[in-house]
Amino acid sequence: MIRKGAFRVARGVPLLWQHNGAPVGEIEWIGEDSRGLRVIGSIREPGLAAAVRRGAVNGLSFGYLVRAAKAGRHRELLQVELKEVSLGGGALNVACAAWHADFAARAAALG
């Protein structure tokens, strides 16, 4: 479980496709809100932007390094360093989703 306030965001966090390869877009804003990590970005790849608009790509995931954790029945991540954010075909956690409004408006401008 990642605790509120745990995210440490470095500059230049890349937006990737399924945690691999060259960046597929830019992250315009990233930070925590009342629901968790919020990412607003634009997608450079027209086919991927279209897939987000159609809802075929709706997963959002992130890679991180644990900087501080608390052991217990459930491991609590108290401080994590965000390394990358990735779009994907579906998220393991349904709360982690690419919301069409956040990506589609910017993707439409690029596509």
Side-chain angles (χ1 to χ4, degrees):
M1 172 184 305
I2 299 177
R3 288 287 177 205
K4 184 174 182 172
F7 290 103
R8 303 293 181 258
V9 179
R11 297 185 109 184
V13 174
L15 178 62
L16 303 178
W17 170 246
Q18 301 203 95
H19 304 287
N20 289 306
V24 295
E26 280 82 37
I27 293 175
E28 297 170 8
W29 185 87
I30 189 167
E32 282 188 71
D33 66 12
S34 62
R35 296 181 60 180
L37 186 66
R38 181 174 175 82
V39 178
I40 298 174
S42 57
I43 302 167
R44 280 193 304 254
E45 163 55 43
L48 182 55
V52 171
R53 282 194 297 272
R54 287 191 318 273
V57 171
N58 62 2
L60 191 63
S61 182
F62 53 89
Y64 59 91
L65 294 174
V66 177
R67 296 297 184 197
K70 180 179 172 184
R73 182 174 177 195
H74 301 284
R75 184 176 184 209
E76 294 180 56
L77 303 182
L78 305 173
Q79 188 177 60
V80 297
E81 180 183 341
L82 197 61
K83 301 304 276 184
E84 54 91 4
V85 175
S86 288
L87 290 165
L92 294 177
N93 180 341
V94 294
C96 298
W99 297 343
H100 306 283
D102 288 311
F103 285 95
R106 289 159 184 82
L110 297 173

